[in-house]
Amino acid sequence: MKDLLRGFAVAFSMYTIIPMPQVEWNKKSMRYAYCFYPLAGAVIGFLLWIWIWAGQELALSPLLYAVVAALLPVLVSGGIHMDGLIDSCDALFSYGDQEKKLTILKDSHVGAFGVLGCVGYLLLLFGLQGQLYARPSLLPIVAVGFVFSRALGALTVVSFPCAKNSGLAHTFSDAAAKRPVRVVLTIYLALCLLLFLDCSVVAGSVIVLLIGLLFLWFYRMSKKQFGGITGDLCGLLVQLTELMILMVCALMG
């Protein structure tokens, strides 16, 4: 039980700004940390639900709602996944060899492609959130999507080969009890997919198809371009998954 509580604290202290008790990061405390990582998405989904309810009760403008809704996941997560998207854009569009791309991922500086990727992502997120506010019938799918994206990202870290023998992804992958963690993450994914389909068979089916294509592209891209998974690439997958789910729900609502 202590290991589970420590794993919960590690996951939330790493992937949210929610204050947690100080826990020493070692293989014992990180063994089951990824079992709790998707719950950070549940917090974001719950807050988004509260925000859209408050917006409608207070008759807030779609503009104000969309700004806060777009920034909410970034604020709760501390921007860790957005950082992954930015670094991944810089690396992918450098068109360098594998070693150069990995070097760019480690670089703390932000390049032009990272800025463009971040701005473009947030603008698209802003527009889609405004559309969802006008037709929120598929909001439950969007809320659950934050859990799904993190479960999918964590599953790649404990299943794909790491691109290097250092970094966040390698640290969590090396410490994880891979078999039980994979089982737990698969259960998360299965439950989320069932909730998608229960809310809307059509929208849920479209999401399953698009996520399948995204995951196939991501697997091939990470293997070919980087030689495996990294923490930044995991952040990229999380962000793209959330965006894709929101896009389907905003346009089909």
Side-chain angles (χ1 to χ4, degrees):
M1 180 59 72
K2 288 184 178 180
D3 286 347
L4 293 176
L5 292 175
R6 291 192 186 103
F8 178 88
V10 168
F12 269 66
S13 62
M14 181 69 214
Y15 293 107
T16 74
I17 61 169
I18 300 173
M20 286 286 131
Q22 288 189 349
V23 175
E24 182 182 356
W25 285 38
N26 52 43
K27 286 194 173 183
K28 195 172 183 180
S29 62
M30 298 173 68
R31 186 174 175 82
Y32 300 108
Y34 266 170
C35 293
F36 302 101
Y37 172 35
L39 297 181
V43 173
I44 298 173
F46 175 74
L47 291 176
L48 181 65
W49 200 308
I50 294 296
W51 175 238
I52 199 169
W53 172 82
Q56 292 176 340
E57 288 294 314
L58 299 173
L60 299 179
S61 71
L63 184 66
L64 176 58
Y65 165 80
V67 169
V68 176
L71 293 177
L72 186 62
V74 180
L75 295 174
V76 176
S77 67
I80 187 169
H81 304 305
M82 184 61 70
D83 177 71
L85 181 142
I86 292 170
D87 289 342
S88 297
C89 286
D90 275 334
L92 282 170
F93 292 106
S94 69
Y95 297 106
D97 57 21
Q98 189 176 108
E99 184 178 352
K100 181 179 180 181
K101 288 185 173 73
L102 290 173
T103 301
I104 291 173
L105 287 183
K106 292 190 297 183
D107 193 345
S108 59
H109 297 89
V110 177
F113 292 114
V115 173
L116 290 172
C118 178
V119 172
Y121 183 92
L122 289 175
L123 282 174
L124 187 54
L125 196 66
F126 168 76
L128 291 172
Q129 286 288 4
Q131 179 73 6
L132 181 71
Y133 185 62
R135 298 186 298 180
S137 61
L138 297 181
L139 174 65
I141 294 181
V142 176
V144 175
F146 293 106
V147 178
F148 182 88
S149 65
R150 283 155 179 76
L152 187 64
L155 188 61
T156 63
V157 173
V158 297
S159 301
F160 288 8
C162 291
K164 51 188 179 179
N165 295 324
S166 61
L168 183 64
H170 178 267
T171 301
F172 275 90
S173 177
D174 184 57
K178 289 185 173 59
R179 188 171 181 178
V181 170
R182 285 172 187 155
V183 171
V184 171
L185 293 173
T186 302
I187 292 173
Y188 274 118
L189 292 174
L191 291 175
C192 289
L193 290 174
L194 288 175
L195 288 170
F196 292 166
L197 294 170
D198 182 64
C199 184
S200 170
V201 174
V202 177
S205 299
V206 172
I207 288 172
V208 171
L209 175 62
L210 293 178
I211 294 300
L213 293 174
L214 173 64
F215 190 74
L216 179 62
W217 167 81
F218 180 80
Y219 172 75
R220 292 180 175 177
M221 179 275 295
S222 60
K223 187 176 180 181
K224 180 180 179 181
Q225 302 289 338
F226 299 91
I229 192 72
T230 71
D232 286 320
L233 293 176
C234 176
L236 173 67
L237 179 62
V238 169
Q239 295 290 75
L240 293 180
T241 301
E242 290 175 6
L243 184 67
M244 189 169 289
I245 292 172
L246 176 60
M247 178 181 66
V248 173
C249 293
L251 298 180
M252 297 184 67

